[in-house]
Short mmCIF file of all heavy atoms in Angstrom, two decimals:
data_model
loop_
_atom_site.label_atom_id
_atom_site.label_comp_id
_atom_site.label_asym_id
_atom_site.label_seq_id
_atom_site.Cartn_x
_atom_site.Cartn_y
_atom_site.Cartn_z
N MET A 241 -17.72 -45.43 -0.08
CA MET A 241 -18.04 -44.13 0.47
C MET A 241 -19.50 -43.77 0.23
O MET A 241 -19.92 -42.68 0.56
CB MET A 241 -17.14 -43.06 -0.14
CG MET A 241 -15.70 -43.16 0.33
SD MET A 241 -14.74 -41.77 -0.29
CE MET A 241 -14.68 -40.81 1.22
N GLY A 242 -20.24 -44.64 -0.37
CA GLY A 242 -21.64 -44.35 -0.60
C GLY A 242 -21.85 -43.44 -1.79
O GLY A 242 -20.95 -43.14 -2.54
N SER A 243 -23.09 -43.00 -1.94
CA SER A 243 -23.43 -42.16 -3.09
C SER A 243 -23.25 -40.67 -2.81
O SER A 243 -23.33 -39.86 -3.72
CB SER A 243 -24.85 -42.44 -3.52
OG SER A 243 -25.73 -42.14 -2.47
N LYS A 244 -23.04 -40.29 -1.54
CA LYS A 244 -22.86 -38.89 -1.20
C LYS A 244 -21.52 -38.39 -1.72
O LYS A 244 -20.51 -39.04 -1.58
CB LYS A 244 -22.93 -38.70 0.31
CG LYS A 244 -22.83 -37.24 0.74
CD LYS A 244 -22.90 -37.14 2.25
CE LYS A 244 -22.88 -35.71 2.69
NZ LYS A 244 -21.56 -35.10 2.74
N ARG A 245 -21.53 -37.23 -2.32
CA ARG A 245 -20.29 -36.63 -2.80
C ARG A 245 -19.52 -36.10 -1.59
O ARG A 245 -20.01 -35.28 -0.83
CB ARG A 245 -20.61 -35.49 -3.76
CG ARG A 245 -19.39 -34.89 -4.37
CD ARG A 245 -19.76 -33.86 -5.38
NE ARG A 245 -18.54 -33.38 -6.02
CZ ARG A 245 -18.52 -32.43 -6.91
NH1 ARG A 245 -19.62 -31.84 -7.28
NH2 ARG A 245 -17.38 -32.04 -7.43
N ARG A 246 -18.31 -36.56 -1.40
CA ARG A 246 -17.46 -36.17 -0.28
C ARG A 246 -16.64 -34.94 -0.63
O ARG A 246 -16.17 -34.80 -1.76
CB ARG A 246 -16.52 -37.30 0.12
CG ARG A 246 -17.20 -38.56 0.50
CD ARG A 246 -17.96 -38.41 1.76
NE ARG A 246 -18.55 -39.70 2.12
CZ ARG A 246 -19.32 -39.88 3.14
NH1 ARG A 246 -19.63 -38.89 3.93
NH2 ARG A 246 -19.82 -41.05 3.40
N THR A 247 -16.42 -34.08 0.35
CA THR A 247 -15.61 -32.88 0.17
C THR A 247 -14.37 -32.98 1.05
O THR A 247 -14.47 -33.14 2.26
CB THR A 247 -16.42 -31.62 0.53
OG1 THR A 247 -17.56 -31.55 -0.33
CG2 THR A 247 -15.57 -30.37 0.34
N PHE A 248 -13.23 -32.88 0.41
CA PHE A 248 -11.94 -32.91 1.09
C PHE A 248 -11.35 -31.51 1.10
O PHE A 248 -11.34 -30.84 0.07
CB PHE A 248 -10.96 -33.85 0.36
CG PHE A 248 -11.32 -35.28 0.41
CD1 PHE A 248 -12.29 -35.81 -0.43
CD2 PHE A 248 -10.69 -36.13 1.31
CE1 PHE A 248 -12.63 -37.15 -0.39
CE2 PHE A 248 -11.02 -37.48 1.36
CZ PHE A 248 -12.00 -37.99 0.51
N VAL A 249 -10.81 -31.09 2.24
CA VAL A 249 -10.12 -29.81 2.34
C VAL A 249 -8.65 -30.10 2.60
O VAL A 249 -8.30 -30.82 3.53
CB VAL A 249 -10.71 -28.93 3.47
CG1 VAL A 249 -9.88 -27.66 3.63
CG2 VAL A 249 -12.16 -28.57 3.16
N ILE A 250 -7.81 -29.52 1.77
CA ILE A 250 -6.36 -29.70 1.90
C ILE A 250 -5.74 -28.35 2.23
O ILE A 250 -5.89 -27.39 1.48
CB ILE A 250 -5.76 -30.27 0.60
CG1 ILE A 250 -6.40 -31.64 0.34
CG2 ILE A 250 -4.25 -30.34 0.68
CD1 ILE A 250 -6.02 -32.26 -0.95
N VAL A 251 -5.06 -28.31 3.37
CA VAL A 251 -4.41 -27.08 3.81
C VAL A 251 -2.97 -27.11 3.35
O VAL A 251 -2.20 -28.01 3.73
CB VAL A 251 -4.50 -26.93 5.34
CG1 VAL A 251 -3.80 -25.65 5.78
CG2 VAL A 251 -5.95 -26.94 5.79
N GLY A 252 -2.62 -26.17 2.50
CA GLY A 252 -1.27 -26.12 1.93
C GLY A 252 -1.27 -26.79 0.56
O GLY A 252 -1.65 -27.94 0.45
N LEU A 253 -0.87 -26.06 -0.45
CA LEU A 253 -0.88 -26.59 -1.81
C LEU A 253 0.52 -26.72 -2.38
O LEU A 253 0.74 -26.58 -3.58
CB LEU A 253 -1.75 -25.68 -2.70
CG LEU A 253 -3.22 -25.64 -2.33
CD1 LEU A 253 -3.95 -24.57 -3.13
CD2 LEU A 253 -3.86 -27.00 -2.51
N GLY A 254 1.47 -27.03 -1.51
CA GLY A 254 2.84 -27.27 -1.95
C GLY A 254 2.99 -28.69 -2.45
O GLY A 254 2.06 -29.28 -2.99
N LEU A 255 4.17 -29.26 -2.29
CA LEU A 255 4.44 -30.61 -2.80
C LEU A 255 3.55 -31.68 -2.18
O LEU A 255 2.97 -32.50 -2.89
CB LEU A 255 5.91 -30.98 -2.56
CG LEU A 255 6.93 -30.20 -3.38
CD1 LEU A 255 8.34 -30.56 -2.96
CD2 LEU A 255 6.73 -30.49 -4.86
N ILE A 256 3.41 -31.66 -0.87
CA ILE A 256 2.60 -32.69 -0.20
C ILE A 256 1.11 -32.47 -0.47
O ILE A 256 0.40 -33.37 -0.88
CB ILE A 256 2.90 -32.74 1.31
CG1 ILE A 256 4.35 -33.20 1.53
CG2 ILE A 256 1.94 -33.69 2.02
CD1 ILE A 256 4.83 -33.09 2.96
N GLY A 257 0.64 -31.25 -0.22
CA GLY A 257 -0.77 -30.96 -0.41
C GLY A 257 -1.20 -31.13 -1.87
O GLY A 257 -2.27 -31.65 -2.16
N GLY A 258 -0.36 -30.67 -2.78
CA GLY A 258 -0.66 -30.81 -4.20
C GLY A 258 -0.71 -32.28 -4.64
O GLY A 258 -1.58 -32.69 -5.40
N SER A 259 0.20 -33.08 -4.10
CA SER A 259 0.22 -34.51 -4.42
C SER A 259 -1.00 -35.21 -3.86
O SER A 259 -1.60 -36.07 -4.51
CB SER A 259 1.49 -35.16 -3.86
OG SER A 259 2.64 -34.65 -4.48
N LEU A 260 -1.38 -34.83 -2.65
CA LEU A 260 -2.58 -35.41 -2.04
C LEU A 260 -3.82 -35.04 -2.84
O LEU A 260 -4.67 -35.90 -3.11
CB LEU A 260 -2.70 -34.93 -0.59
CG LEU A 260 -3.88 -35.45 0.20
CD1 LEU A 260 -3.87 -36.97 0.26
CD2 LEU A 260 -3.85 -34.88 1.62
N ALA A 261 -3.95 -33.79 -3.25
CA ALA A 261 -5.08 -33.35 -4.06
C ALA A 261 -5.14 -34.12 -5.37
O ALA A 261 -6.20 -34.58 -5.79
CB ALA A 261 -4.99 -31.85 -4.32
N LYS A 262 -4.00 -34.29 -6.00
CA LYS A 262 -3.94 -35.02 -7.27
C LYS A 262 -4.38 -36.48 -7.10
O LYS A 262 -5.13 -37.01 -7.92
CB LYS A 262 -2.51 -34.97 -7.82
CG LYS A 262 -2.35 -35.58 -9.18
CD LYS A 262 -0.94 -35.40 -9.69
CE LYS A 262 -0.78 -36.00 -11.07
NZ LYS A 262 0.58 -35.79 -11.59
N ALA A 263 -3.93 -37.10 -6.02
CA ALA A 263 -4.29 -38.50 -5.76
C ALA A 263 -5.79 -38.64 -5.48
O ALA A 263 -6.43 -39.57 -5.98
CB ALA A 263 -3.48 -39.03 -4.59
N ILE A 264 -6.35 -37.73 -4.72
CA ILE A 264 -7.78 -37.77 -4.42
C ILE A 264 -8.58 -37.61 -5.71
O ILE A 264 -9.52 -38.35 -5.97
CB ILE A 264 -8.17 -36.71 -3.38
CG1 ILE A 264 -7.59 -37.07 -2.02
CG2 ILE A 264 -9.69 -36.57 -3.29
CD1 ILE A 264 -7.70 -35.97 -0.98
N ARG A 265 -8.20 -36.62 -6.52
CA ARG A 265 -8.92 -36.38 -7.79
C ARG A 265 -8.83 -37.59 -8.71
O ARG A 265 -9.78 -37.90 -9.42
CB ARG A 265 -8.36 -35.15 -8.50
CG ARG A 265 -8.57 -33.82 -7.85
CD ARG A 265 -9.98 -33.28 -7.93
NE ARG A 265 -10.57 -33.26 -9.26
CZ ARG A 265 -10.68 -32.22 -10.06
NH1 ARG A 265 -10.22 -31.05 -9.66
NH2 ARG A 265 -11.24 -32.32 -11.24
N ALA A 266 -7.69 -38.27 -8.71
CA ALA A 266 -7.51 -39.42 -9.60
C ALA A 266 -8.27 -40.65 -9.12
O ALA A 266 -8.81 -41.41 -9.95
CB ALA A 266 -6.02 -39.76 -9.71
N ARG A 267 -8.35 -40.87 -7.82
CA ARG A 267 -8.93 -42.10 -7.30
C ARG A 267 -10.40 -41.98 -6.89
O ARG A 267 -11.12 -42.97 -6.91
CB ARG A 267 -8.10 -42.60 -6.12
CG ARG A 267 -6.77 -43.16 -6.58
CD ARG A 267 -5.84 -43.40 -5.42
NE ARG A 267 -4.56 -43.94 -5.84
CZ ARG A 267 -3.57 -43.24 -6.38
NH1 ARG A 267 -3.71 -41.94 -6.59
NH2 ARG A 267 -2.42 -43.80 -6.69
N LEU A 268 -10.79 -40.81 -6.49
CA LEU A 268 -12.17 -40.59 -6.04
C LEU A 268 -12.81 -39.56 -6.96
O LEU A 268 -12.93 -38.38 -6.62
CB LEU A 268 -12.19 -40.12 -4.58
CG LEU A 268 -11.52 -41.04 -3.57
CD1 LEU A 268 -11.45 -40.38 -2.21
CD2 LEU A 268 -12.26 -42.36 -3.49
N ARG A 269 -13.21 -40.00 -8.13
CA ARG A 269 -13.68 -39.10 -9.19
C ARG A 269 -14.86 -38.23 -8.76
O ARG A 269 -15.01 -37.13 -9.24
CB ARG A 269 -14.06 -39.90 -10.43
CG ARG A 269 -12.91 -40.77 -10.96
CD ARG A 269 -11.72 -40.00 -11.35
NE ARG A 269 -11.74 -39.74 -12.78
CZ ARG A 269 -10.98 -38.85 -13.37
NH1 ARG A 269 -10.15 -38.14 -12.67
NH2 ARG A 269 -11.04 -38.66 -14.65
N SER A 270 -15.69 -38.71 -7.86
CA SER A 270 -16.86 -37.93 -7.46
C SER A 270 -16.56 -36.95 -6.32
O SER A 270 -17.40 -36.14 -5.95
CB SER A 270 -18.00 -38.86 -7.04
OG SER A 270 -17.66 -39.57 -5.88
N ALA A 271 -15.35 -37.04 -5.76
CA ALA A 271 -14.99 -36.18 -4.63
C ALA A 271 -14.79 -34.73 -5.07
O ALA A 271 -14.36 -34.46 -6.19
CB ALA A 271 -13.73 -36.69 -3.95
N ARG A 272 -15.09 -33.82 -4.15
CA ARG A 272 -14.82 -32.40 -4.37
C ARG A 272 -13.60 -32.05 -3.53
O ARG A 272 -13.53 -32.40 -2.34
CB ARG A 272 -16.03 -31.60 -3.90
CG ARG A 272 -15.91 -30.12 -4.08
CD ARG A 272 -17.26 -29.48 -3.82
NE ARG A 272 -17.11 -28.04 -3.75
CZ ARG A 272 -17.39 -27.31 -2.68
NH1 ARG A 272 -17.87 -27.87 -1.60
NH2 ARG A 272 -17.20 -26.01 -2.71
N VAL A 273 -12.63 -31.38 -4.12
CA VAL A 273 -11.38 -31.04 -3.42
C VAL A 273 -11.26 -29.52 -3.32
O VAL A 273 -11.31 -28.82 -4.32
CB VAL A 273 -10.16 -31.64 -4.14
CG1 VAL A 273 -8.87 -31.27 -3.40
CG2 VAL A 273 -10.29 -33.15 -4.28
N ILE A 274 -11.11 -29.06 -2.08
CA ILE A 274 -10.93 -27.64 -1.80
C ILE A 274 -9.53 -27.44 -1.25
O ILE A 274 -9.09 -28.17 -0.36
CB ILE A 274 -11.97 -27.15 -0.78
CG1 ILE A 274 -13.38 -27.31 -1.35
CG2 ILE A 274 -11.71 -25.71 -0.38
CD1 ILE A 274 -14.48 -27.00 -0.36
N GLY A 275 -8.84 -26.46 -1.76
CA GLY A 275 -7.48 -26.15 -1.29
C GLY A 275 -7.45 -24.87 -0.49
O GLY A 275 -8.23 -23.95 -0.73
N VAL A 276 -6.55 -24.82 0.48
CA VAL A 276 -6.35 -23.63 1.30
C VAL A 276 -4.89 -23.25 1.23
O VAL A 276 -4.00 -24.09 1.43
CB VAL A 276 -6.74 -23.88 2.77
CG1 VAL A 276 -6.54 -22.63 3.60
CG2 VAL A 276 -8.18 -24.35 2.89
N SER A 277 -4.64 -21.98 0.92
CA SER A 277 -3.28 -21.47 0.85
C SER A 277 -3.29 -19.99 1.18
O SER A 277 -4.27 -19.30 0.91
CB SER A 277 -2.70 -21.68 -0.56
OG SER A 277 -1.40 -21.11 -0.64
N ARG A 278 -2.21 -19.52 1.74
CA ARG A 278 -2.08 -18.07 1.97
C ARG A 278 -1.84 -17.33 0.67
O ARG A 278 -2.05 -16.13 0.59
CB ARG A 278 -0.95 -17.79 2.95
CG ARG A 278 -1.30 -18.18 4.38
CD ARG A 278 -0.21 -17.78 5.31
NE ARG A 278 0.79 -18.85 5.32
CZ ARG A 278 1.97 -18.78 5.87
NH1 ARG A 278 2.35 -17.69 6.48
NH2 ARG A 278 2.80 -19.80 5.84
N SER A 279 -1.42 -18.06 -0.34
CA SER A 279 -1.04 -17.46 -1.62
C SER A 279 -2.16 -17.64 -2.66
O SER A 279 -2.40 -18.76 -3.13
CB SER A 279 0.24 -18.10 -2.14
OG SER A 279 0.46 -17.75 -3.48
N PRO A 280 -2.82 -16.56 -3.06
CA PRO A 280 -3.82 -16.66 -4.13
C PRO A 280 -3.22 -17.21 -5.43
O PRO A 280 -3.90 -17.89 -6.19
CB PRO A 280 -4.29 -15.21 -4.32
CG PRO A 280 -3.98 -14.53 -3.03
CD PRO A 280 -2.74 -15.20 -2.51
N ARG A 281 -1.95 -16.94 -5.66
CA ARG A 281 -1.27 -17.44 -6.85
C ARG A 281 -1.21 -18.96 -6.85
O ARG A 281 -1.43 -19.60 -7.89
CB ARG A 281 0.14 -16.85 -6.93
CG ARG A 281 0.89 -17.13 -8.21
CD ARG A 281 2.22 -16.39 -8.23
NE ARG A 281 3.46 -17.09 -8.28
CZ ARG A 281 3.90 -18.17 -7.65
NH1 ARG A 281 3.21 -18.78 -6.86
NH2 ARG A 281 5.07 -18.69 -7.78
N LYS A 282 -0.96 -19.57 -5.70
CA LYS A 282 -0.92 -21.04 -5.62
C LYS A 282 -2.31 -21.63 -5.84
O LYS A 282 -2.45 -22.70 -6.43
CB LYS A 282 -0.35 -21.50 -4.28
CG LYS A 282 1.14 -21.35 -4.19
CD LYS A 282 1.68 -22.00 -2.96
CE LYS A 282 3.20 -21.86 -2.92
NZ LYS A 282 3.78 -22.51 -1.74
N ILE A 283 -3.32 -20.95 -5.36
CA ILE A 283 -4.69 -21.42 -5.56
C ILE A 283 -5.02 -21.41 -7.05
O ILE A 283 -5.55 -22.38 -7.59
CB ILE A 283 -5.69 -20.56 -4.77
CG1 ILE A 283 -5.49 -20.79 -3.26
CG2 ILE A 283 -7.13 -20.86 -5.18
CD1 ILE A 283 -6.24 -19.84 -2.37
N THR A 284 -4.68 -20.32 -7.72
CA THR A 284 -4.93 -20.20 -9.16
C THR A 284 -4.19 -21.28 -9.93
O THR A 284 -4.77 -21.92 -10.83
CB THR A 284 -4.51 -18.81 -9.66
OG1 THR A 284 -5.25 -17.82 -8.95
CG2 THR A 284 -4.73 -18.66 -11.15
N LEU A 285 -2.95 -21.53 -9.58
CA LEU A 285 -2.16 -22.55 -10.26
C LEU A 285 -2.75 -23.95 -10.03
O LEU A 285 -2.84 -24.76 -10.95
CB LEU A 285 -0.71 -22.50 -9.77
CG LEU A 285 0.28 -23.44 -10.44
CD1 LEU A 285 0.34 -23.19 -11.94
CD2 LEU A 285 1.66 -23.28 -9.82
N ALA A 286 -3.15 -24.23 -8.79
CA ALA A 286 -3.74 -25.54 -8.48
C ALA A 286 -5.04 -25.76 -9.25
O ALA A 286 -5.32 -26.87 -9.71
CB ALA A 286 -3.97 -25.66 -6.98
N LYS A 287 -5.84 -24.71 -9.42
CA LYS A 287 -7.06 -24.81 -10.22
C LYS A 287 -6.73 -25.08 -11.68
O LYS A 287 -7.35 -25.93 -12.33
CB LYS A 287 -7.89 -23.53 -10.11
CG LYS A 287 -8.66 -23.40 -8.84
CD LYS A 287 -9.51 -22.13 -8.93
CE LYS A 287 -10.19 -21.81 -7.65
NZ LYS A 287 -10.97 -20.56 -7.76
N LYS A 288 -5.75 -24.34 -12.21
CA LYS A 288 -5.33 -24.53 -13.63
C LYS A 288 -4.87 -25.95 -13.88
O LYS A 288 -5.12 -26.52 -14.93
CB LYS A 288 -4.19 -23.58 -13.97
CG LYS A 288 -4.62 -22.28 -14.52
CD LYS A 288 -3.40 -21.50 -15.01
CE LYS A 288 -3.78 -20.12 -15.42
NZ LYS A 288 -2.60 -19.30 -15.76
N LYS A 289 -4.15 -26.53 -12.91
CA LYS A 289 -3.64 -27.89 -13.05
C LYS A 289 -4.70 -28.95 -12.81
O LYS A 289 -4.44 -30.14 -12.95
CB LYS A 289 -2.47 -28.12 -12.09
CG LYS A 289 -1.22 -27.36 -12.48
CD LYS A 289 -0.09 -27.70 -11.52
CE LYS A 289 1.21 -27.06 -11.98
NZ LYS A 289 2.34 -27.50 -11.16
N GLY A 290 -5.88 -28.53 -12.36
CA GLY A 290 -6.96 -29.47 -12.10
C GLY A 290 -6.81 -30.22 -10.79
O GLY A 290 -7.39 -31.29 -10.63
N LEU A 291 -6.04 -29.66 -9.86
CA LEU A 291 -5.82 -30.32 -8.59
C LEU A 291 -6.97 -30.07 -7.61
O LEU A 291 -7.27 -30.92 -6.76
CB LEU A 291 -4.52 -29.85 -7.96
CG LEU A 291 -3.24 -30.09 -8.76
CD1 LEU A 291 -2.05 -29.50 -8.04
CD2 LEU A 291 -3.06 -31.56 -9.06
N ILE A 292 -7.58 -28.90 -7.70
CA ILE A 292 -8.65 -28.53 -6.79
C ILE A 292 -9.83 -27.98 -7.58
O ILE A 292 -9.69 -27.51 -8.69
CB ILE A 292 -8.20 -27.50 -5.72
CG1 ILE A 292 -7.74 -26.19 -6.39
CG2 ILE A 292 -7.12 -28.07 -4.83
CD1 ILE A 292 -7.43 -25.05 -5.41
N HIS A 293 -10.99 -28.05 -6.96
CA HIS A 293 -12.19 -27.47 -7.56
C HIS A 293 -12.36 -26.02 -7.15
O HIS A 293 -12.86 -25.20 -7.92
CB HIS A 293 -13.43 -28.26 -7.11
CG HIS A 293 -13.47 -29.64 -7.64
ND1 HIS A 293 -13.03 -30.72 -6.91
CD2 HIS A 293 -13.88 -30.14 -8.82
CE1 HIS A 293 -13.18 -31.82 -7.62
NE2 HIS A 293 -13.70 -31.49 -8.80
N GLU A 294 -11.95 -25.73 -5.92
CA GLU A 294 -12.13 -24.40 -5.36
C GLU A 294 -10.99 -24.13 -4.39
O GLU A 294 -10.43 -25.06 -3.83
CB GLU A 294 -13.48 -24.37 -4.63
CG GLU A 294 -14.00 -23.03 -4.27
CD GLU A 294 -15.41 -23.11 -3.71
OE1 GLU A 294 -16.00 -24.20 -3.64
OE2 GLU A 294 -15.92 -22.04 -3.33
N GLY A 295 -10.68 -22.86 -4.16
CA GLY A 295 -9.60 -22.52 -3.25
C GLY A 295 -9.94 -21.32 -2.39
O GLY A 295 -10.71 -20.46 -2.79
N PHE A 296 -9.38 -21.32 -1.20
CA PHE A 296 -9.61 -20.23 -0.24
C PHE A 296 -8.29 -19.83 0.43
O PHE A 296 -7.38 -20.64 0.57
CB PHE A 296 -10.58 -20.68 0.86
CG PHE A 296 -11.96 -20.95 0.38
CD1 PHE A 296 -12.35 -22.23 0.03
CD2 PHE A 296 -12.89 -19.92 0.29
CE1 PHE A 296 -13.63 -22.49 -0.41
CE2 PHE A 296 -14.18 -20.17 -0.16
CZ PHE A 296 -14.54 -21.46 -0.51
N THR A 297 -8.23 -18.59 0.88
CA THR A 297 -7.09 -18.13 1.66
C THR A 297 -7.40 -18.18 3.16
O THR A 297 -6.51 -18.06 3.96
CB THR A 297 -6.67 -16.69 1.27
OG1 THR A 297 -7.80 -15.83 1.40
CG2 THR A 297 -6.14 -16.65 -0.15
N GLN A 298 -8.66 -18.37 3.51
CA GLN A 298 -9.08 -18.47 4.91
C GLN A 298 -9.61 -19.87 5.20
O GLN A 298 -10.52 -20.36 4.53
CB GLN A 298 -10.20 -17.45 5.21
CG GLN A 298 -9.78 -16.01 5.06
CD GLN A 298 -8.76 -15.63 6.12
OE1 GLN A 298 -8.90 -15.98 7.29
NE2 GLN A 298 -7.73 -14.91 5.70
N LEU A 299 -9.05 -20.52 6.20
CA LEU A 299 -9.43 -21.89 6.54
C LEU A 299 -10.91 -21.99 6.90
O LEU A 299 -11.59 -22.92 6.48
CB LEU A 299 -8.56 -22.40 7.70
CG LEU A 299 -8.82 -23.83 8.15
CD1 LEU A 299 -8.58 -24.81 7.00
CD2 LEU A 299 -7.93 -24.17 9.33
N SER A 300 -11.42 -21.04 7.65
CA SER A 300 -12.82 -21.10 8.10
C SER A 300 -13.78 -21.14 6.91
O SER A 300 -14.80 -21.85 6.95
CB SER A 300 -13.15 -19.92 9.01
OG SER A 300 -12.94 -18.70 8.33
N SER A 301 -13.49 -20.44 5.86
CA SER A 301 -14.34 -20.45 4.66
C SER A 301 -14.32 -21.83 3.99
O SER A 301 -15.34 -22.30 3.49
CB SER A 301 -13.87 -19.41 3.66
OG SER A 301 -13.94 -18.13 4.22
N ALA A 302 -13.18 -22.48 3.98
CA ALA A 302 -13.02 -23.75 3.31
C ALA A 302 -13.70 -24.89 4.07
O ALA A 302 -14.14 -25.87 3.48
CB ALA A 302 -11.54 -24.07 3.14
N LEU A 303 -13.79 -24.76 5.38
CA LEU A 303 -14.30 -25.87 6.20
C LEU A 303 -15.83 -25.96 6.26
O LEU A 303 -16.35 -26.93 6.80
CB LEU A 303 -13.75 -25.75 7.61
CG LEU A 303 -12.25 -25.98 7.76
CD1 LEU A 303 -11.81 -25.77 9.19
CD2 LEU A 303 -11.88 -27.36 7.28
N ARG A 304 -16.52 -25.01 5.71
CA ARG A 304 -18.01 -24.99 5.81
C ARG A 304 -18.65 -26.29 5.39
O ARG A 304 -19.55 -26.79 6.05
CB ARG A 304 -18.57 -23.83 5.02
CG ARG A 304 -18.37 -22.54 5.71
CD ARG A 304 -19.11 -21.41 5.02
NE ARG A 304 -18.56 -20.15 5.53
CZ ARG A 304 -18.17 -19.14 4.81
NH1 ARG A 304 -18.33 -19.20 3.50
NH2 ARG A 304 -17.68 -18.08 5.34
N ASP A 305 -18.25 -26.84 4.26
CA ASP A 305 -18.89 -28.05 3.71
C ASP A 305 -17.97 -29.26 3.77
O ASP A 305 -18.22 -30.26 3.09
CB ASP A 305 -19.32 -27.80 2.27
CG ASP A 305 -20.36 -26.71 2.14
OD1 ASP A 305 -21.24 -26.65 3.02
OD2 ASP A 305 -20.29 -25.92 1.19
N ALA A 306 -16.91 -29.20 4.55
CA ALA A 306 -15.91 -30.26 4.55
C ALA A 306 -16.40 -31.55 5.21
O ALA A 306 -17.09 -31.52 6.23
CB ALA A 306 -14.65 -29.78 5.26
N ASP A 307 -16.03 -32.66 4.61
CA ASP A 307 -16.23 -33.98 5.21
C ASP A 307 -14.91 -34.49 5.79
O ASP A 307 -14.90 -35.16 6.80
CB ASP A 307 -16.73 -34.99 4.16
CG ASP A 307 -18.12 -34.63 3.67
OD1 ASP A 307 -19.03 -34.46 4.49
OD2 ASP A 307 -18.29 -34.52 2.43
N PHE A 308 -13.81 -34.17 5.12
CA PHE A 308 -12.48 -34.61 5.55
C PHE A 308 -11.49 -33.50 5.48
O PHE A 308 -11.55 -32.66 4.64
CB PHE A 308 -11.98 -35.76 4.65
CG PHE A 308 -12.84 -36.96 4.66
CD1 PHE A 308 -13.79 -37.17 3.66
CD2 PHE A 308 -12.75 -37.88 5.68
CE1 PHE A 308 -14.60 -38.28 3.67
CE2 PHE A 308 -13.56 -39.00 5.69
CZ PHE A 308 -14.50 -39.18 4.68
#
């Protein structure tokens, strides 16, 4: 993936989205992971668990710096 830090946006932080975020964080250590959820509580929980670096409730805000 080169030396550029890649940013992944995951929409939905349930079982599938959370698992995907966890896998990206584990395998691509330099990647930045942003989560999108309608629930601020899920965003807070995902941050606490170390699944995402940042979270948004609006998709448009999350996509600004997205690579994937």
Side-chain angles (χ1 to χ4, degrees):
M241 290 186 102
S243 61
K244 183 180 183 278
R245 184 176 185 184
R246 302 292 183 183
T247 300
F248 292 80
V249 174
I250 298 174
V251 180
L253 296 172
L255 291 174
I256 295 172
S259 296
L260 181 58
K262 185 176 181 178
I264 291 169
R265 292 286 309 259
R267 288 169 180 78
L268 303 173
R269 304 300 264 165
S270 66
R272 181 170 170 241
V273 180
I274 297 174
V276 180
S277 177
R278 287 185 275 170
S279 168
R281 188 174 117 318
K282 284 189 179 182
I283 293 170
T284 301
L285 184 59
K287 282 184 187 178
K288 269 188 187 175
K289 289 183 174 186
L291 301 177
I292 62 174
H293 293 96
E294 195 172 358
F296 294 94
T297 55
Q298 297 293 318
L299 181 60
S300 59
S301 299
L303 292 177
R304 285 188 195 132
D305 297 322
D307 294 307
F308 300 97

